[in-house]
Amino acid sequence: MPMSRPSHHSRAAAKGPSQRQLRAGELVRHALVEILREEDLQDPALKGVSVTVTEVRMSPDLKHALCFVEPLGGAHAPEVIAALNRVSRFLRGRLGHAIDLRFTPALKFVHDESFETAEKMNRLLSDPRVRRDVETPD
């Protein structure tokens, strides 16, 4: 029996971003890294702050980008995120010159909490009581 192509309905039910969204997200992430490295942003909360752009998630229509960022060392994250959102229109303008997409996405910055979560897991796993429970006897 020949394999049939999945219907539009089954594709829509699939979970996760499309390849197009993933590619566009990486394109935007790389461009933002360069812009943040090169630009001297005027917001005082961003002076001398190094920011890592860990992930960019694009909306299905590629018009909105959710940018996950982590300030170096995690210091002053709420202030840095607020400042990035204040300068997001400026960054979007720079992004429009750096990428080749039909639309330059609106940018929204959020704190990437995966670093904090990983640190909490490491602390938990190094607790002697937990280590005793998870170690396998030889």
Side-chain angles (χ1 to χ4, degrees):
M1 179 179 233
M3 300 279 293
S4 63
R5 289 178 45 108
S7 69
H8 174 69
H9 179 70
S10 66
R11 253 181 305 177
K15 293 194 172 34
S18 68
Q19 284 297 314
R20 183 171 162 254
Q21 285 171 274
L22 293 172
R23 278 193 310 269
E26 273 302 289
L27 180 70
V28 169
R29 187 180 75 78
H30 283 282
L32 275 177
V33 166
E34 285 302 309
I35 292 165
L36 290 171
R37 188 173 61 78
E38 293 172 2
E39 288 292 333
D40 184 25
L41 300 172
Q42 297 302 309
D43 197 293
L46 298 173
K47 289 288 183 206
V49 175
S50 181
V51 177
T52 301
V53 181
T54 57
E55 182 183 0
V56 174
R57 293 184 191 164
M58 301 296 292
S59 64
D61 63 4
L62 305 183
K63 291 184 179 182
H64 300 277
L66 185 61
C67 308
F68 291 85
V69 297
E70 174 71 14
L72 187 62
H76 310 289
E79 295 88 356
V80 170
I81 302 303
L84 286 169
N85 282 309
R86 283 192 297 271
V87 300
S88 67
R89 289 178 62 127
F90 170 79
L91 292 171
R92 183 182 187 194
R94 290 291 188 263
L95 186 63
H97 297 292
I99 62 173
D100 186 25
L101 289 177
R102 182 172 291 164
F103 302 101
T104 303
L107 304 173
K108 178 171 174 38
F109 293 91
V110 295
H111 184 221
D112 185 343
E113 298 186 2
S114 63
F115 293 99
E116 289 175 21
T117 303
E119 181 57 34
K120 286 178 188 175
M121 290 298 295
N122 283 335
R123 281 197 307 271
L124 182 64
L125 291 172
S126 61
D127 183 304
R129 294 168 296 176
V130 173
R131 194 176 316 139
R132 180 187 66 227
D133 290 344
V134 296
E135 286 179 349
T136 56
D138 290 60

